[in-house]
Amino acid sequence: MKISVITVCFQAEENIAKTIESVKRQTYEDIEYIIVDGNSHDRTLTVIRETLGDHSAKILSEPDRGIYDAMNKGVGLAGGDYIHFLNAGDTYHDDQVIESTVTWIEKTGADIVYGDIEYLYPDGSRERRNYDGKCGRQIYYLTGDCINHQAMFVKRQLFAADLFDISLKICADRDWMMKKSRAGAVLQAMGFPVCVYSYDGVSVLQKDVYKKEAAFCMKKHYPLGYPVFAVFEFMRNNRVFAGLLHGVYRILFIRDGK
């Protein structure tokens, strides 16, 4: 089984090396590595080539229309059985992640397998986001949450009919997941951490865009469930309810890092 790992980057000279080194250290051998750069003007390409050394990789560098356009380009270059996106600055949790994932795929035959992610915050602290079996159910989206795309290994054929909608700036992966969930894709939680995710708070910094796109996705895919989503959004925007909701969220999904 071949696994295609896709890294998208732009102006990433400071953090692309650790991502590449993480891929190179994987114990699984049949990995196709693809790096899609958005025509960076810093030393990103130089660092990529220096860090890769003689390690095989497909490199594409050209202007794009955002992260999801770059991810779509990576999919177009991929020939693996399953695809995993590991963005610049993110790393695999350990050297056996892909080897362990392939074992799960062979055992379950699931369309999408997913694990936990470890948030790495700017201050160096870490927390583990637990994605268990309930996160693969359609009702999970009604709460306003979704599985982080760095946590998922996806059967390449699922992208044949649908790529990411590049008109969405933050929630195209959410939109894609909702579409595949409604189409009956089989998801399987693996129960172990997949990656260390450098949490820079982009979705938080673009809160208005995020809220607008998340609501759009819900109305598009689960119009009958939108009232439930709206209730959760009301709670998030209320100081008292937001604190209560956050507390429940941490009990259910957050673990100590590492």
Side-chain angles (χ1 to χ4, degrees), residues 129-154:
R129 176 42 163 103
N130 175 39
Y131 285 116
D132 58 21
K134 59 180 168 288
C135 299
R137 300 171 185 168
Q138 294 188 37
I139 194 172
Y140 179 65
Y141 298 111
L142 303 185
T143 68
D145 213 337
C146 67
I147 302 171
N148 186 297
H149 67 255
Q150 284 98 328
M152 301 185 298
F153 285 74
V154 179

Side-chain angles (χ1 to χ4, degrees), residues 20-161:
I20 295 172
E21 292 289 0
S22 175
V23 175
K24 291 173 63 176
R25 288 195 302 269
Q26 288 299 296
T27 56
Y28 191 72
E29 293 185 355
D30 200 355
I31 298 174
E32 173 188 58
Y33 193 29
I34 300 166
I35 302 175
V36 182
D37 171 65
N39 195 32
S40 294
H41 304 302
D42 61 1
R43 296 186 65 256
T44 296
L45 283 175
T46 299
V47 174
I48 288 172
R49 295 190 176 100
E50 289 177 349
T51 308
L52 282 171
D54 59 2
H55 189 85
S56 176
K58 298 178 182 179
I59 303 172
L60 174 67
S61 181
E62 63 182 25
D64 57 50
R65 297 171 61 186
I67 184 172
Y68 295 114
D69 187 27
M71 290 167 71
N72 285 342
K73 290 180 180 181
V75 170
L77 294 172
D81 299 289
Y82 281 75
I83 290 174
H84 182 239
F85 295 99
L86 189 71
N87 293 348
D90 300 336
T91 61
Y92 284 111
H93 183 269
D94 57 72
D95 298 347
Q96 291 78 41
V97 166
I98 295 182
E99 186 172 350
S100 300
T101 298
V102 169
T103 298
W104 267 90
I105 293 171
E106 291 176 340
K107 180 171 67 174
T108 67
D111 298 311
I112 300 171
V113 295
Y114 59 93
D116 301 343
I117 61 172
E118 189 171 276
Y119 292 132
L120 174 60
Y121 296 106
D123 65 359
S125 62
R126 298 180 181 228
E127 289 182 326
R128 178 170 165 177
R129 176 42 163 103
N130 175 39
Y131 285 116
D132 58 21
K134 59 180 168 288
C135 299
R137 300 171 185 168
Q138 294 188 37
I139 194 172
Y140 179 65
Y141 298 111
L142 303 185
T143 68
D145 213 337
C146 67
I147 302 171
N148 186 297
H149 67 255
Q150 284 98 328
M152 301 185 298
F153 285 74
V154 179
K155 188 176 291 185
R156 182 169 57 90
Q157 285 87 340
L158 268 64
F159 288 104

Side-chain angles (χ1 to χ4, degrees), residues 142-191:
L142 303 185
T143 68
D145 213 337
C146 67
I147 302 171
N148 186 297
H149 67 255
Q150 284 98 328
M152 301 185 298
F153 285 74
V154 179
K155 188 176 291 185
R156 182 169 57 90
Q157 285 87 340
L158 268 64
F159 288 104
D162 300 291
L163 294 174
F164 297 110
D165 181 354
I166 64 173
S167 70
L168 298 173
K169 304 303 180 185
I170 297 176
C171 293
D173 48 350
R174 178 187 300 249
D175 171 69
W176 188 90
M177 278 296 297
M178 287 182 173
K179 185 180 298 183
K180 294 306 171 183
S181 181
R182 289 189 63 206
V186 177
L187 282 76
Q188 177 70 48
M190 297 187 290

